[in-house]
């Protein structure tokens, strides 16, 4: 009698705690980006990194409230793991999930090879594996006065001081110019900026 009761209890507990999971390959992509960078702009060449990166965005599910991950966050996470990268190439997007009776987790996983702009001839690039133990990678760039080829219309030169939480994308959007323009005007090899950094921006008068 005791043996049967113990066996039944064990089976019920196993069924209660058993996990069910699945993994789906959603899409294979040639190039993907969540950054506001004109990848097809003429005059700019891009280079593949020699390492692959992976980004993840996951959300917990509780009872009848499913967690819905954000694919853009997973793409951002992957791109930002490689300094200077603006896109991923030759990659894949997965949807992975697991659940038990009460809890679960859904997540998007994005894997690919980083793609970064190759500016200038013979310049230094970030064709190296980033340090995975570092919580964030800040790349300091020397401020060099460039000699850009200006358009034929009247333009005004502005010196912008980077504030806390600003990014190159938000700065370009504020001045209505492209990220690649700012990178060229300031001889930057990375789209990473830091607080207090001086940037030269040319805007139409």
């Amino acid at each position: 009698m005791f043996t049967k009761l113990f066996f039944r209890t064990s089976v019920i507990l196993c069924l209660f705690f058993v996990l069910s999971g699945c993994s789906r390959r959603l899409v294979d992509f040639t190039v993907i980006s969540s950054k506001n960078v004109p990848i097809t702009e003429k005059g700019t060449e891009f280079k593949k990194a020699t390492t692959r990166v992976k980004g993840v965005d996951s959300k917990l599910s509780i009872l009848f409230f499913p967690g819905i991950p954000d694919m853009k966050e997973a793409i951002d996470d992957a791109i930002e793991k490689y300094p200077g990268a603006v896109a991923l190439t030759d990659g894949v997007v997965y949807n992975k999930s697991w659940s038990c009776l009460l809890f679960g987790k859904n997540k998007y996983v994005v894997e690919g090879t980083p793609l970064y702009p190759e500016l200038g001839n013979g310049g230094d690039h970030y064709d190296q594996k980033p340090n995975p133990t570092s919580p964030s990678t800040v790349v300091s760039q020397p401020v060099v006065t460039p000699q850009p080829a200006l358009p034929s219309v009247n333009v005004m030169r502005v010196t912008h001081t980077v504030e806390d939480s600003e990014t190159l994308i938000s700065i370009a959007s504020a001045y209505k110019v492209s990220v690649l323009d700012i990178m060229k005007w300031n001889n930057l090899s990375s789209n990473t900026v830091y607080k207090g950094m001086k940037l030269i921006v040319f805007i139409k008068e």
Side-chain angles (χ1 to χ4, degrees), residues 62-148:
I62 301 176
L63 293 177
F64 302 106
F65 301 96
I68 303 176
D70 190 336
M71 187 182 297
K72 180 181 181 300
E73 293 295 327
I75 297 172
D76 283 339
D77 184 42
I79 293 175
E80 291 168 5
K81 285 182 177 177
Y82 194 92
V86 296
L88 299 175
T89 184
D90 302 332
V92 61
V93 179
Y94 293 97
N95 175 234
K96 297 184 177 182
S97 63
W98 63 264
S99 64
C100 62
L101 294 180
L102 299 178
F103 303 99
K105 179 179 283 189
N106 296 320
K107 64 181 178 180
Y108 283 119
V109 180
V110 179
E111 298 178 2
T113 302
L115 198 65
Y116 60 89
E118 185 176 20
L119 304 177
N121 295 320
D124 294 332
H125 303 294
Y126 297 94
D127 195 7
Q128 57 187 8
K129 186 176 182 179
N131 184 3
T133 62
S134 176
S136 61
T137 305
V138 178
V139 181
S140 300
Q141 297 292 336
V143 177
V144 181
T145 303
Q147 298 296 328

Side-chain angles (χ1 to χ4, degrees), residues 6-205:
F6 177 79
F7 178 77
R8 290 177 181 177
T9 304
S10 300
V11 171
I12 293 174
L13 288 175
C14 289
L15 291 176
F16 181 81
F17 289 106
V18 68
L19 297 177
S20 61
C22 67
S23 176
R24 293 183 298 161
R25 191 184 186 107
L26 297 181
V27 63
D28 293 89
F29 58 83
T30 302
V31 177
I32 192 171
S33 176
S34 58
K35 306 298 183 182
N36 185 23
V37 177
I39 298 177
T40 58
E41 182 175 301
K42 293 182 178 180
T44 302
E45 296 183 358
F46 292 87
K47 187 175 180 180
K48 285 185 181 180
T50 57
T51 58
R52 290 178 67 81
V53 293
K54 180 170 71 174
V56 178
D57 186 65
S58 60
K59 294 292 185 295
L60 287 174
S61 299
I62 301 176
L63 293 177
F64 302 106
F65 301 96
I68 303 176
D70 190 336
M71 187 182 297
K72 180 181 181 300
E73 293 295 327
I75 297 172
D76 283 339
D77 184 42
I79 293 175
E80 291 168 5
K81 285 182 177 177
Y82 194 92
V86 296
L88 299 175
T89 184
D90 302 332
V92 61
V93 179
Y94 293 97
N95 175 234
K96 297 184 177 182
S97 63
W98 63 264
S99 64
C100 62
L101 294 180
L102 299 178
F103 303 99
K105 179 179 283 189
N106 296 320
K107 64 181 178 180
Y108 283 119
V109 180
V110 179
E111 298 178 2
T113 302
L115 198 65
Y116 60 89
E118 185 176 20
L119 304 177
N121 295 320
D124 294 332
H125 303 294
Y126 297 94
D127 195 7
Q128 57 187 8
K129 186 176 182 179
N131 184 3
T133 62
S134 176
S136 61
T137 305
V138 178
V139 181
S140 300
Q141 297 292 336
V143 177
V144 181
T145 303
Q147 298 296 328
L150 299 181
S152 58
V153 298
N154 294 330
V155 295
M156 178 174 61
R157 171 174 165 160
V158 176
T159 300
H160 178 86
T161 302
V162 179
E163 299 293 338
D164 191 24
S165 77
E166 279 190 318
T167 65
L168 207 58
I169 295 174
S170 65
I171 296 170
S173 177
Y175 288 102
K176 297 182 179 180
V177 296
S178 72
V179 172
L180 291 180
D181 281 339
I182 297 180
M183 293 176 69
K184 291 176 182 177
W185 293 334
N186 294 273
N187 290 342
L188 301 180
S189 298
S190 167
N191 62 356
T192 304
V193 295
Y194 54 88
K195 183 179 180 180
M197 184 178 183
K198 304 289 185 181
L199 294 175
I200 296 173
V201 183
F202 292 94
I203 60 176
K204 294 180 181 180
E205 293 182 342

